[in-house]
PDB file of all heavy atoms in Angstrom:
ATOM      1  N   TYR A  26       0.792  -1.217   0.004  1.00 76.00           N
ATOM      2  CA  TYR A  26       0.014   0.008  -0.001  1.00 76.00           C
ATOM      3  C   TYR A  26       0.843   1.260  -0.005  1.00 76.00           C
ATOM      4  O   TYR A  26       0.387   2.334  -0.456  1.00 76.00           O
ATOM      5  CB  TYR A  26      -0.933   0.034   1.234  1.00 76.00           C
ATOM      6  CG  TYR A  26      -1.824  -1.165   1.287  1.00 76.00           C
ATOM      7  CD1 TYR A  26      -1.538  -2.204   2.176  1.00 76.00           C
ATOM      8  CD2 TYR A  26      -2.924  -1.298   0.446  1.00 76.00           C
ATOM      9  CE1 TYR A  26      -2.337  -3.346   2.223  1.00 76.00           C
ATOM     10  CE2 TYR A  26      -3.728  -2.426   0.497  1.00 76.00           C
ATOM     11  CZ  TYR A  26      -3.481  -3.431   1.374  1.00 76.00           C
ATOM     12  OH  TYR A  26      -4.249  -4.516   1.436  1.00 76.00           O
ATOM     13  N   ILE A  27       2.071   1.221   0.531  1.00 76.00           N
ATOM     14  CA  ILE A  27       2.912   2.385   0.683  1.00 76.00           C
ATOM     15  C   ILE A  27       4.118   2.240  -0.238  1.00 76.00           C
ATOM     16  O   ILE A  27       4.893   1.293  -0.082  1.00 76.00           O
ATOM     17  CB  ILE A  27       3.378   2.588   2.132  1.00 76.00           C
ATOM     18  CG1 ILE A  27       2.167   2.739   3.075  1.00 76.00           C
ATOM     19  CG2 ILE A  27       4.273   3.795   2.235  1.00 76.00           C
ATOM     20  CD1 ILE A  27       2.518   2.725   4.516  1.00 76.00           C
ATOM     21  N   GLN A  28       4.273   3.156  -1.159  1.00 75.00           N
ATOM     22  CA  GLN A  28       5.364   3.098  -2.073  1.00 75.00           C
ATOM     23  C   GLN A  28       6.372   4.160  -1.729  1.00 75.00           C
ATOM     24  O   GLN A  28       6.003   5.303  -1.356  1.00 75.00           O
ATOM     25  CB  GLN A  28       4.878   3.362  -3.533  1.00 75.00           C
ATOM     26  CG  GLN A  28       3.871   2.314  -4.002  1.00 75.00           C
ATOM     27  CD  GLN A  28       4.476   0.926  -4.117  1.00 75.00           C
ATOM     28  OE1 GLN A  28       5.623   0.784  -4.536  1.00 75.00           O
ATOM     29  NE2 GLN A  28       3.735  -0.079  -3.737  1.00 75.00           N
ATOM     30  N   GLY A  29       7.673   3.913  -1.814  1.00 76.00           N
ATOM     31  CA  GLY A  29       8.702   4.889  -1.548  1.00 76.00           C
ATOM     32  C   GLY A  29       9.090   4.956  -0.097  1.00 76.00           C
ATOM     33  O   GLY A  29       8.747   4.140   0.687  1.00 76.00           O
ATOM     34  N   GLU A  30       9.869   6.030   0.199  1.00 77.00           N
ATOM     35  CA  GLU A  30      10.384   6.209   1.538  1.00 77.00           C
ATOM     36  C   GLU A  30       9.318   6.868   2.447  1.00 77.00           C
ATOM     37  O   GLU A  30       8.631   7.777   2.059  1.00 77.00           O
ATOM     38  CB  GLU A  30      11.591   7.112   1.455  1.00 77.00           C
ATOM     39  CG  GLU A  30      12.341   7.264   2.731  1.00 77.00           C
ATOM     40  CD  GLU A  30      13.608   8.143   2.574  1.00 77.00           C
ATOM     41  OE1 GLU A  30      14.243   8.056   1.561  1.00 77.00           O
ATOM     42  OE2 GLU A  30      13.864   8.889   3.525  1.00 77.00           O
ATOM     43  N   VAL A  31       9.239   6.364   3.669  1.00 74.00           N
ATOM     44  CA  VAL A  31       8.251   6.887   4.639  1.00 74.00           C
ATOM     45  C   VAL A  31       9.026   7.692   5.694  1.00 74.00           C
ATOM     46  O   VAL A  31      10.024   7.231   6.254  1.00 74.00           O
ATOM     47  CB  VAL A  31       7.522   5.737   5.362  1.00 74.00           C
ATOM     48  CG1 VAL A  31       6.584   6.321   6.428  1.00 74.00           C
ATOM     49  CG2 VAL A  31       6.745   4.915   4.327  1.00 74.00           C
ATOM     50  N   LYS A  32       8.593   8.923   5.880  1.00 76.00           N
ATOM     51  CA  LYS A  32       9.211   9.785   6.918  1.00 76.00           C
ATOM     52  C   LYS A  32       8.205   9.947   8.036  1.00 76.00           C
ATOM     53  O   LYS A  32       7.040  10.228   7.805  1.00 76.00           O
ATOM     54  CB  LYS A  32       9.557  11.167   6.342  1.00 76.00           C
ATOM     55  CG  LYS A  32      10.695  11.069   5.334  1.00 76.00           C
ATOM     56  CD  LYS A  32      11.115  12.442   4.909  1.00 76.00           C
ATOM     57  CE  LYS A  32      12.281  12.314   3.935  1.00 76.00           C
ATOM     58  NZ  LYS A  32      12.820  13.635   3.565  1.00 76.00           N
ATOM     59  N   LEU A  33       8.718   9.853   9.210  1.00 73.00           N
ATOM     60  CA  LEU A  33       7.924  10.002  10.406  1.00 73.00           C
ATOM     61  C   LEU A  33       8.389  11.222  11.194  1.00 73.00           C
ATOM     62  O   LEU A  33       9.556  11.380  11.461  1.00 73.00           O
ATOM     63  CB  LEU A  33       8.036   8.752  11.317  1.00 73.00           C
ATOM     64  CG  LEU A  33       7.254   8.741  12.606  1.00 73.00           C
ATOM     65  CD1 LEU A  33       5.766   8.793  12.363  1.00 73.00           C
ATOM     66  CD2 LEU A  33       7.609   7.514  13.413  1.00 73.00           C
ATOM     67  N   THR A  34       7.461  12.089  11.540  1.00 79.00           N
ATOM     68  CA  THR A  34       7.770  13.274  12.308  1.00 79.00           C
ATOM     69  C   THR A  34       7.051  13.248  13.624  1.00 79.00           C
ATOM     70  O   THR A  34       5.812  13.007  13.671  1.00 79.00           O
ATOM     71  CB  THR A  34       7.378  14.559  11.539  1.00 79.00           C
ATOM     72  OG1 THR A  34       8.002  14.533  10.275  1.00 79.00           O
ATOM     73  CG2 THR A  34       7.764  15.806  12.303  1.00 79.00           C
ATOM     74  N   VAL A  35       7.795  13.407  14.732  1.00 78.00           N
ATOM     75  CA  VAL A  35       7.173  13.465  16.033  1.00 78.00           C
ATOM     76  C   VAL A  35       7.330  14.871  16.570  1.00 78.00           C
ATOM     77  O   VAL A  35       8.391  15.458  16.588  1.00 78.00           O
ATOM     78  CB  VAL A  35       7.897  12.501  17.008  1.00 78.00           C
ATOM     79  CG1 VAL A  35       7.332  12.608  18.429  1.00 78.00           C
ATOM     80  CG2 VAL A  35       7.789  11.056  16.497  1.00 78.00           C
ATOM     81  N   THR A  36       6.226  15.438  17.008  1.00 77.00           N
ATOM     82  CA  THR A  36       6.225  16.822  17.567  1.00 77.00           C
ATOM     83  C   THR A  36       5.790  16.748  18.997  1.00 77.00           C
ATOM     84  O   THR A  36       4.722  16.219  19.320  1.00 77.00           O
ATOM     85  CB  THR A  36       5.227  17.704  16.775  1.00 77.00           C
ATOM     86  OG1 THR A  36       5.579  17.649  15.406  1.00 77.00           O
ATOM     87  CG2 THR A  36       5.281  19.137  17.256  1.00 77.00           C
ATOM     88  N   ILE A  37       6.621  17.289  19.887  1.00 72.00           N
ATOM     89  CA  ILE A  37       6.278  17.405  21.321  1.00 72.00           C
ATOM     90  C   ILE A  37       5.566  18.724  21.502  1.00 72.00           C
ATOM     91  O   ILE A  37       6.093  19.796  21.274  1.00 72.00           O
ATOM     92  CB  ILE A  37       7.538  17.308  22.175  1.00 72.00           C
ATOM     93  CG1 ILE A  37       8.243  15.994  21.956  1.00 72.00           C
ATOM     94  CG2 ILE A  37       7.173  17.525  23.624  1.00 72.00           C
ATOM     95  CD1 ILE A  37       9.587  15.867  22.639  1.00 72.00           C
ATOM     96  N   THR A  38       4.290  18.596  21.920  1.00 69.00           N
ATOM     97  CA  THR A  38       3.485  19.837  22.076  1.00 69.00           C
ATOM     98  C   THR A  38       3.661  20.491  23.452  1.00 69.00           C
ATOM     99  O   THR A  38       3.425  21.672  23.613  1.00 69.00           O
ATOM    100  CB  THR A  38       1.991  19.543  21.849  1.00 69.00           C
ATOM    101  OG1 THR A  38       1.585  18.550  22.764  1.00 69.00           O
ATOM    102  CG2 THR A  38       1.759  19.100  20.403  1.00 69.00           C
ATOM    103  N   SER A  39       4.026  19.695  24.432  1.00 63.00           N
ATOM    104  CA  SER A  39       4.197  20.253  25.786  1.00 63.00           C
ATOM    105  C   SER A  39       5.140  19.359  26.574  1.00 63.00           C
ATOM    106  O   SER A  39       5.034  18.168  26.550  1.00 63.00           O
ATOM    107  CB  SER A  39       2.851  20.303  26.500  1.00 63.00           C
ATOM    108  OG  SER A  39       3.018  20.752  27.809  1.00 63.00           O
ATOM    109  N   THR A  40       5.998  20.017  27.348  1.00 60.00           N
ATOM    110  CA  THR A  40       6.906  19.285  28.217  1.00 60.00           C
ATOM    111  C   THR A  40       6.478  19.478  29.646  1.00 60.00           C
ATOM    112  O   THR A  40       7.154  19.036  30.548  1.00 60.00           O
ATOM    113  CB  THR A  40       8.348  19.750  28.037  1.00 60.00           C
ATOM    114  OG1 THR A  40       8.443  21.164  28.321  1.00 60.00           O
ATOM    115  CG2 THR A  40       8.864  19.474  26.656  1.00 60.00           C
ATOM    116  N   VAL A  41       5.368  20.151  29.872  1.00 62.00           N
ATOM    117  CA  VAL A  41       4.881  20.418  31.218  1.00 62.00           C
ATOM    118  C   VAL A  41       4.257  19.137  31.806  1.00 62.00           C
ATOM    119  O   VAL A  41       3.341  18.600  31.170  1.00 62.00           O
ATOM    120  CB  VAL A  41       3.860  21.564  31.206  1.00 62.00           C
ATOM    121  CG1 VAL A  41       3.329  21.792  32.617  1.00 62.00           C
ATOM    122  CG2 VAL A  41       4.486  22.828  30.679  1.00 62.00           C
ATOM    123  N   THR A  42       4.759  18.711  32.899  1.00 73.00           N
ATOM    124  CA  THR A  42       4.204  17.550  33.599  1.00 73.00           C
ATOM    125  C   THR A  42       3.304  18.067  34.669  1.00 73.00           C
ATOM    126  O   THR A  42       3.712  18.867  35.487  1.00 73.00           O
ATOM    127  CB  THR A  42       5.330  16.674  34.213  1.00 73.00           C
ATOM    128  OG1 THR A  42       6.212  16.289  33.184  1.00 73.00           O
ATOM    129  CG2 THR A  42       4.753  15.478  34.878  1.00 73.00           C
ATOM    130  N   GLN A  43       2.070  17.569  34.715  1.00 88.00           N
ATOM    131  CA  GLN A  43       1.175  18.007  35.765  1.00 88.00           C
ATOM    132  C   GLN A  43       1.518  17.242  37.042  1.00 88.00           C
ATOM    133  O   GLN A  43       1.884  16.077  36.975  1.00 88.00           O
ATOM    134  CB  GLN A  43      -0.245  17.753  35.329  1.00 88.00           C
ATOM    135  CG  GLN A  43      -0.658  18.638  34.179  1.00 88.00           C
ATOM    136  CD  GLN A  43      -2.098  18.432  33.804  1.00 88.00           C
ATOM    137  OE1 GLN A  43      -2.564  17.304  33.742  1.00 88.00           O
ATOM    138  NE2 GLN A  43      -2.810  19.515  33.513  1.00 88.00           N
ATOM    139  N   LYS A  44       1.374  17.984  38.166  1.00 92.00           N
ATOM    140  CA  LYS A  44       1.749  17.370  39.457  1.00 92.00           C
ATOM    141  C   LYS A  44       0.695  17.623  40.460  1.00 92.00           C
ATOM    142  O   LYS A  44      -0.165  18.439  40.307  1.00 92.00           O
ATOM    143  CB  LYS A  44       3.083  17.978  39.926  1.00 92.00           C
ATOM    144  CG  LYS A  44       4.228  17.677  38.969  1.00 92.00           C
ATOM    145  CD  LYS A  44       5.531  18.203  39.522  1.00 92.00           C
ATOM    146  CE  LYS A  44       6.629  17.948  38.515  1.00 92.00           C
ATOM    147  NZ  LYS A  44       7.693  17.175  38.922  1.00 92.00           N
ATOM    148  N   VAL A  45       0.827  16.885  41.556  1.00 94.00           N
ATOM    149  CA  VAL A  45       0.039  17.133  42.757  1.00 94.00           C
ATOM    150  C   VAL A  45       0.992  17.226  43.918  1.00 94.00           C
ATOM    151  O   VAL A  45       1.966  16.464  43.999  1.00 94.00           O
ATOM    152  CB  VAL A  45      -1.013  15.962  42.971  1.00 94.00           C
ATOM    153  CG1 VAL A  45      -0.317  14.634  43.175  1.00 94.00           C
ATOM    154  CG2 VAL A  45      -1.937  16.272  44.114  1.00 94.00           C
ATOM    155  N   ALA A  46       0.795  18.220  44.802  1.00 94.00           N
ATOM    156  CA  ALA A  46       1.626  18.438  45.957  1.00 94.00           C
ATOM    157  C   ALA A  46       1.010  17.712  47.142  1.00 94.00           C
ATOM    158  O   ALA A  46      -0.191  17.861  47.397  1.00 94.00           O
ATOM    159  CB  ALA A  46       1.794  19.894  46.253  1.00 94.00           C
ATOM    160  N   VAL A  47       1.804  16.952  47.875  1.00 96.00           N
ATOM    161  CA  VAL A  47       1.335  16.266  49.046  1.00 96.00           C
ATOM    162  C   VAL A  47       2.158  16.786  50.240  1.00 96.00           C
ATOM    163  O   VAL A  47       3.381  16.649  50.296  1.00 96.00           O
ATOM    164  CB  VAL A  47       1.470  14.733  48.930  1.00 96.00           C
ATOM    165  CG1 VAL A  47       0.910  14.049  50.151  1.00 96.00           C
ATOM    166  CG2 VAL A  47       0.750  14.246  47.685  1.00 96.00           C
ATOM    167  N   LEU A  48       1.441  17.398  51.193  1.00 95.00           N
ATOM    168  CA  LEU A  48       2.128  18.083  52.323  1.00 95.00           C
ATOM    169  C   LEU A  48       1.562  17.586  53.653  1.00 95.00           C
ATOM    170  O   LEU A  48       0.481  17.031  53.688  1.00 95.00           O
ATOM    171  CB  LEU A  48       1.893  19.607  52.237  1.00 95.00           C
ATOM    172  CG  LEU A  48       2.339  20.274  50.965  1.00 95.00           C
ATOM    173  CD1 LEU A  48       1.857  21.701  50.941  1.00 95.00           C
ATOM    174  CD2 LEU A  48       3.838  20.207  50.800  1.00 95.00           C
ATOM    175  N   GLY A  49       2.288  17.833  54.722  1.00 94.00           N
ATOM    176  CA  GLY A  49       1.812  17.526  56.057  1.00 94.00           C
ATOM    177  C   GLY A  49       2.348  16.210  56.574  1.00 94.00           C
ATOM    178  O   GLY A  49       3.500  15.820  56.320  1.00 94.00           O
ATOM    179  N   GLU A  50       1.524  15.483  57.319  1.00 94.00           N
ATOM    180  CA  GLU A  50       1.895  14.242  57.966  1.00 94.00           C
ATOM    181  C   GLU A  50       1.889  13.033  57.043  1.00 94.00           C
ATOM    182  O   GLU A  50       1.043  12.145  57.225  1.00 94.00           O
ATOM    183  CB  GLU A  50       1.034  14.025  59.222  1.00 94.00           C
ATOM    184  CG  GLU A  50       1.264  15.050  60.299  1.00 94.00           C
ATOM    185  CD  GLU A  50       2.694  15.012  60.842  1.00 94.00           C
ATOM    186  OE1 GLU A  50       3.219  13.947  61.116  1.00 94.00           O
ATOM    187  OE2 GLU A  50       3.256  16.120  61.000  1.00 94.00           O
ATOM    188  N   VAL A  51       2.782  13.044  56.101  1.00 95.00           N
ATOM    189  CA  VAL A  51       2.956  11.901  55.199  1.00 95.00           C
ATOM    190  C   VAL A  51       4.459  11.555  55.255  1.00 95.00           C
ATOM    191  O   VAL A  51       5.279  12.353  55.704  1.00 95.00           O
ATOM    192  CB  VAL A  51       2.557  12.205  53.748  1.00 95.00           C
ATOM    193  CG1 VAL A  51       1.044  12.384  53.606  1.00 95.00           C
ATOM    194  CG2 VAL A  51       3.236  13.440  53.177  1.00 95.00           C
ATOM    195  N   SER A  52       4.776  10.352  54.792  1.00 95.00           N
ATOM    196  CA  SER A  52       6.148   9.872  54.860  1.00 95.00           C
ATOM    197  C   SER A  52       7.104  10.730  53.991  1.00 95.00           C
ATOM    198  O   SER A  52       8.207  11.018  54.411  1.00 95.00           O
ATOM    199  CB  SER A  52       6.285   8.422  54.443  1.00 95.00           C
ATOM    200  OG  SER A  52       5.589   7.605  55.389  1.00 95.00           O
ATOM    201  N   LYS A  53       6.626  11.067  52.794  1.00 95.00           N
ATOM    202  CA  LYS A  53       7.515  11.842  51.859  1.00 95.00           C
ATOM    203  C   LYS A  53       6.713  13.007  51.263  1.00 95.00           C
ATOM    204  O   LYS A  53       5.964  12.862  50.315  1.00 95.00           O
ATOM    205  CB  LYS A  53       8.004  10.946  50.723  1.00 95.00           C
ATOM    206  CG  LYS A  53       8.908   9.833  51.188  1.00 95.00           C
ATOM    207  CD  LYS A  53       9.334   8.953  49.997  1.00 95.00           C
ATOM    208  CE  LYS A  53       8.184   8.046  49.672  1.00 95.00           C
ATOM    209  NZ  LYS A  53       8.467   7.103  48.624  1.00 95.00           N
ATOM    210  N   GLN A  54       6.901  14.237  51.822  1.00 95.00           N
ATOM    211  CA  GLN A  54       6.275  15.415  51.262  1.00 95.00           C
ATOM    212  C   GLN A  54       6.959  15.719  49.970  1.00 95.00           C
ATOM    213  O   GLN A  54       8.191  15.820  49.916  1.00 95.00           O
ATOM    214  CB  GLN A  54       6.416  16.603  52.233  1.00 95.00           C
ATOM    215  CG  GLN A  54       5.704  16.416  53.524  1.00 95.00           C
ATOM    216  CD  GLN A  54       5.793  17.664  54.374  1.00 95.00           C
ATOM    217  OE1 GLN A  54       5.456  18.742  53.937  1.00 95.00           O
ATOM    218  NE2 GLN A  54       6.236  17.501  55.588  1.00 95.00           N
ATOM    219  N   GLU A  55       6.182  15.866  48.915  1.00 94.00           N
ATOM    220  CA  GLU A  55       6.798  15.997  47.587  1.00 94.00           C
ATOM    221  C   GLU A  55       5.742  16.439  46.590  1.00 94.00           C
ATOM    222  O   GLU A  55       4.553  16.370  46.859  1.00 94.00           O
ATOM    223  CB  GLU A  55       7.383  14.635  47.164  1.00 94.00           C
ATOM    224  CG  GLU A  55       8.163  14.615  45.884  1.00 94.00           C
ATOM    225  CD  GLU A  55       9.594  15.145  46.100  1.00 94.00           C
ATOM    226  OE1 GLU A  55      10.213  14.771  47.061  1.00 94.00           O
ATOM    227  OE2 GLU A  55      10.022  15.883  45.196  1.00 94.00           O
ATOM    228  N   ASN A  56       6.190  16.847  45.427  1.00 94.00           N
ATOM    229  CA  ASN A  56       5.316  17.056  44.239  1.00 94.00           C
ATOM    230  C   ASN A  56       5.403  15.782  43.437  1.00 94.00           C
ATOM    231  O   ASN A  56       6.495  15.363  43.040  1.00 94.00           O
ATOM    232  CB  ASN A  56       5.767  18.227  43.407  1.00 94.00           C
ATOM    233  CG  ASN A  56       5.553  19.529  44.106  1.00 94.00           C
ATOM    234  OD1 ASN A  56       4.539  19.754  44.748  1.00 94.00           O
ATOM    235  ND2 ASN A  56       6.500  20.437  43.957  1.00 94.00           N
TER     236      ASN A  56
END
């Protein structure tokens, strides 16, 4: 079905990782 050379392009739209902050009386306070 595909003739010739196939080019693949990857675009990163965002590098922002969403996080949740956990504070107080927990073993590891962290984002």
Side-chain angles (χ1 to χ4, degrees):
Y26 304 103
I27 301 173
Q28 300 295 321
E30 187 178 324
V31 176
K32 292 186 179 185
L33 177 65
T34 304
V35 176
T36 305
I37 299 173
T38 58
S39 175
T40 59
V41 177
T42 303
Q43 293 182 318
K44 297 184 184 238
V45 61
V47 183
L48 305 170
E50 292 299 314
V51 292
S52 295
K53 295 179 281 183
Q54 295 184 54
E55 186 80 43
N56 290 320

